Amino acid sequence: MGIDITRLLDLPDFPEDSSGTAAGTYTVTPDFEEHSLVGEGPEYKYQTWFQTPPLDPETIKRIHSVQLFAESHAQGFVDNAAAGTWTWFELAIMENEEADKPRVKDGVTLAWTSHKNFLKQFEYGWKSGVKFGEKHDIFRLLEDGNVIAVRLCARFLEWVVYAKSGFLQIEIGNKVKRKPLEYGQVVTTVKTVNDVFREINSAMALDGMQIAKVPEALFTAGMMTGRDQRPLRVLSLDGGGVRGIAALMLLDEVMKRSHPGKLPHEVFDMIGGTSTGGFIAVMLGRMKMSIADCITCYTKFMNVVFPPKNKVIKDLIQERLGDPDKVLLMDSDPAAQGSCKVFLMAVNQSGANNHAPVTLRSYEHPLERPAVPGIKLWEACRATSAAPSFFEPLKVGGFTFLDGGLQANNPLGWHVLNIPYVFGPTRNTSCFLSIGTGTPRTETVPNANAVNIVGFAKSMASIATNTEITNILFRSLINAFAPHPTEKKYWRFNVGDGCPDFVETAEGTWEWKLLETREEQELGELDDVAAMKNTITATEKYMKLEGAEVMINECAKSLAAVVCQH
């Protein structure tokens, strides 16, 4: 539907003195000269285009909505359309007419995205922004004398936004009762949690590995959404080759007790995985498969995937989605809208010793460009599972990918860092389910000499893919910042782990306690299809343990406590 410019032109101007303004719809307009803003790198560039007159308290109470209509275009070319649009418009609260930066409240910059600019269009065109209704936070934060500014925004080299004409439509009506909004402690807590998680990720990273900082853009008012929405449910899946069947069996048991008849993508808001865990994440979240179908497919798949054949993966995608070359990004696939978010971990061969693993996402990250724009589903599956000695590295988009398990075999930490960006840093999580693929036997690392070189190499590989270190580092922190401090939200199931549970002591403190005896296993090689039967038997035994029963029921209860809203 096109924008009715004639209607906007016929609306009266919003008065310079807004006190006593009659009910109705008004517009604020800029001068009709071309304005532009050029991105120069990863830094965010902003420019005020036009703004309202100062607003008095009575007028603020009577604003029912604001909406931007802008005539604009971008630079007219992009290297890769799948990398996203990096020019946009936003509305910001300024202290007064002379201010050149938005107000900051409790560490939060008071700015909200209106809409993205055109991607490749070189000619001027009209676009409408989000309509900020009477319940929007912007009206709870406006103060006497503030103005609402329309800002041009650009990021990254050669991205340009051009703007010529625009209308900020303002609806005035009866007074609306609103409570003042305080970010305060919520933002402080979020910043603390992010700092702690990044410290842990840094400590776990290989020597010299580069860890990205939390961008200041995360702490803008537009990102502070979700505090009034239902808590999230997220699923994290370890790597483990053919042993991934254990994760599917455990997930199936939890789902049967929490949401019988529901599919995982209908229950979980985000599913992240590494290696075969990443492939399972794609099947469950991106292909929307049932666990039963996934188990059948996985069992069949594991019998032919070593050595891997790209055709096997592409045939499955063709069967499920109708196109073997479907891309991972859901936003470019209308049929996938409304699905849970999916991400996979992979390692770039170049810089694997001092760079963080690469996150391949099915969704647009609001603050980062995708590592490999337009990566196909089958390529992402191969990238996350390209285990050295079993798989050839996958070359795509300038990367040479190795198995994500080399740096993030348990993607828990990287999973946690994704959540604030996608769902907003103030949104709670009620259930964080992490599933492993078996607890290996305790081993002594042999001396590195000619006699023990094979054993030493195997021990080093086991250390590099250790998933329990990540679990131990993150489990208490995740529970500590649950929506309610005395309620658990983190569950970890890993066959042979002794069922460590977070329990309350007689003194009222919380501690981790083994409910069962650890039963470490000889896990076998990633491609040991014969060992799959042993894994199935061990998993069935694990699920019958009294401690596992308690934890599975607790986890299922937490999942079932919130109505699905996908």
Side-chain angles (χ1 to χ4, degrees), residues 454-477:
V454 174
F456 179 77
K458 286 185 176 181
S459 293
M460 290 299 101
S462 178
I463 292 170
T465 57
N466 188 323
T467 63
E468 284 307 303
I469 293 175
T470 304
N471 165 53
I472 292 168
L473 284 170
F474 277 94
R475 63 187 186 183
S476 295
L477 283 170

Side-chain angles (χ1 to χ4, degrees), residues 3-228:
I3 297 173
D4 186 355
I5 303 301
T6 302
R7 180 190 69 83
L8 292 168
L9 286 169
D10 289 341
L11 292 174
D13 293 337
F14 190 77
E16 287 294 323
D17 181 0
S18 62
S19 59
T21 302
T25 303
Y26 302 83
T27 61
V28 178
T29 57
D31 58 52
F32 285 87
E33 295 181 2
E34 182 178 78
H35 290 252
S36 64
L37 179 66
V38 181
E40 298 177 357
E43 300 80 16
Y44 291 80
K45 296 294 182 181
Y46 304 99
Q47 180 185 112
T48 297
W49 182 17
F50 64 100
Q51 60 193 23
T52 68
L55 301 170
D56 67 88
E58 291 304 307
T59 300
I60 292 170
K61 294 176 184 177
R62 297 178 59 220
I63 299 177
H64 282 222
S65 72
V66 295
Q67 185 176 17
L68 175 64
F69 300 86
E71 186 181 19
S72 66
H73 69 83
Q75 67 277 5
F77 62 89
V78 293
D79 292 332
N80 191 325
T85 302
W86 293 99
T87 57
W88 66 100
F89 295 84
E90 70 178 23
L91 303 186
I93 296 178
M94 303 293 203
E95 187 70 40
N96 50 50
E97 288 181 295
E98 289 74 38
D100 60 357
K101 293 181 179 179
R103 273 180 49 211
V104 175
K105 182 177 178 62
D106 300 328
V108 178
T109 300
L110 303 186
W112 297 261
T113 298
S114 166
H115 63 281
K116 292 183 178 181
N117 193 17
F118 292 102
L119 179 59
K120 293 187 288 186
Q121 185 168 315
F122 189 71
E123 300 295 329
Y124 274 106
W126 283 92
K127 260 195 170 186
S128 58
V130 174
K131 187 174 185 177
F132 293 16
E134 63 182 44
K135 295 183 179 180
H136 196 278
D137 288 350
I138 191 171
F139 306 121
R140 298 173 63 187
L141 292 159
L142 280 166
E143 296 177 353
D144 186 18
N146 288 174
V147 302
I148 300 175
V150 176
R151 300 209 298 174
L152 310 181
C153 312
R155 191 181 182 204
F156 299 122
L157 191 65
E158 295 186 337
W159 280 91
V160 188
V161 53
Y162 297 91
K164 183 170 63 175
S165 304
F167 298 88
L168 184 63
Q169 178 180 283
I170 304 175
E171 290 184 275
I172 301 293
N174 295 328
K175 289 184 180 180
V176 179
K177 291 183 178 180
R178 303 183 181 105
K179 293 182 179 179
L181 178 59
E182 302 290 338
Y183 292 116
Q185 187 58 43
V186 174
V187 175
T188 300
T189 300
V190 170
K191 286 187 174 182
T192 301
V193 173
N194 270 282
D195 289 344
V196 171
F197 283 157
R198 286 205 175 275
E199 285 297 322
I200 290 176
N201 271 328
S202 297
M204 291 170 57
L206 300 175
D207 185 36
M209 181 181 290
Q210 298 175 358
I211 304 293
K213 296 179 180 179
V214 178
E216 286 300 316
L218 178 63
F219 296 99
T220 61
M223 294 293 289
M224 297 294 159
T225 59
R227 63 186 177 279
D228 298 323

Side-chain angles (χ1 to χ4, degrees), residues 81-389:
T85 302
W86 293 99
T87 57
W88 66 100
F89 295 84
E90 70 178 23
L91 303 186
I93 296 178
M94 303 293 203
E95 187 70 40
N96 50 50
E97 288 181 295
E98 289 74 38
D100 60 357
K101 293 181 179 179
R103 273 180 49 211
V104 175
K105 182 177 178 62
D106 300 328
V108 178
T109 300
L110 303 186
W112 297 261
T113 298
S114 166
H115 63 281
K116 292 183 178 181
N117 193 17
F118 292 102
L119 179 59
K120 293 187 288 186
Q121 185 168 315
F122 189 71
E123 300 295 329
Y124 274 106
W126 283 92
K127 260 195 170 186
S128 58
V130 174
K131 187 174 185 177
F132 293 16
E134 63 182 44
K135 295 183 179 180
H136 196 278
D137 288 350
I138 191 171
F139 306 121
R140 298 173 63 187
L141 292 159
L142 280 166
E143 296 177 353
D144 186 18
N146 288 174
V147 302
I148 300 175
V150 176
R151 300 209 298 174
L152 310 181
C153 312
R155 191 181 182 204
F156 299 122
L157 191 65
E158 295 186 337
W159 280 91
V160 188
V161 53
Y162 297 91
K164 183 170 63 175
S165 304
F167 298 88
L168 184 63
Q169 178 180 283
I170 304 175
E171 290 184 275
I172 301 293
N174 295 328
K175 289 184 180 180
V176 179
K177 291 183 178 180
R178 303 183 181 105
K179 293 182 179 179
L181 178 59
E182 302 290 338
Y183 292 116
Q185 187 58 43
V186 174
V187 175
T188 300
T189 300
V190 170
K191 286 187 174 182
T192 301
V193 173
N194 270 282
D195 289 344
V196 171
F197 283 157
R198 286 205 175 275
E199 285 297 322
I200 290 176
N201 271 328
S202 297
M204 291 170 57
L206 300 175
D207 185 36
M209 181 181 290
Q210 298 175 358
I211 304 293
K213 296 179 180 179
V214 178
E216 286 300 316
L218 178 63
F219 296 99
T220 61
M223 294 293 289
M224 297 294 159
T225 59
R227 63 186 177 279
D228 298 323
Q229 298 179 41
R230 67 155 177 80
L232 299 166
R233 294 160 299 204
V234 294
L235 174 62
S236 181
L237 300 165
D238 292 4
V242 297
R243 301 191 306 273
I245 192 70
L248 285 167
M249 293 172 65
L250 287 161
L251 177 61
D252 188 44
E253 190 63 29
V254 172
M255 288 285 294
K256 284 178 179 176
R257 302 186 193 191
S258 66
H259 293 86
K262 288 284 186 180
L263 299 176
H265 81 271
E266 297 174 308
V267 174
F268 292 98
D269 299 282
M270 177 177 279
I271 304 177
T274 298
S275 193
T276 49
F279 181 62
I280 292 172
V282 166
M283 288 195 288
L284 296 176
R286 184 65 175 86
M287 299 187 198
K288 302 182 179 181
M289 293 173 64
S290 69
I291 299 176
D293 286 347
C294 199
I295 288 175
T296 299
C297 177
Y298 191 82
T299 304
K300 177 182 177 182
F301 194 81
M302 288 298 111
N303 283 293
V304 296
V305 75
F306 293 97
K309 294 180 176 65
N310 294 342
K311 184 178 183 301
V312 175
I313 304 175
K314 294 174 78 171
D315 284 349
L316 176 62
I317 297 169
Q318 169 72 46
E319 177 186 338
R320 302 298 306 189
L321 301 179
D323 180 359
D325 289 321
K326 278 281 189 184
V327 296
L328 175 63
L329 184 67
M330 288 190 296
D331 294 338
S332 61
D333 180 5
Q337 295 300 313
S339 296
C340 69
K341 313 297 185 186
V342 174
F343 76 85
L344 305 83
M345 304 304 299
V347 173
N348 188 20
Q349 189 175 44
S350 175
N353 66 313
N354 62 0
H355 284 68
V358 178
T359 305
L360 304 173
R361 304 180 180 94
S362 72
Y363 51 90
E364 288 188 352
H365 192 294
L367 304 180
E368 293 181 9
R369 289 185 290 190
V372 186
I375 189 170
K376 297 172 183 175
L377 263 176
W378 72 265
E379 292 172 328
C381 291
R382 278 281 285 107
T384 190
S385 58
S389 78

Side-chain angles (χ1 to χ4, degrees), residues 100 520 522:
D100 60 357
E520 299 168 352
E522 184 61 52

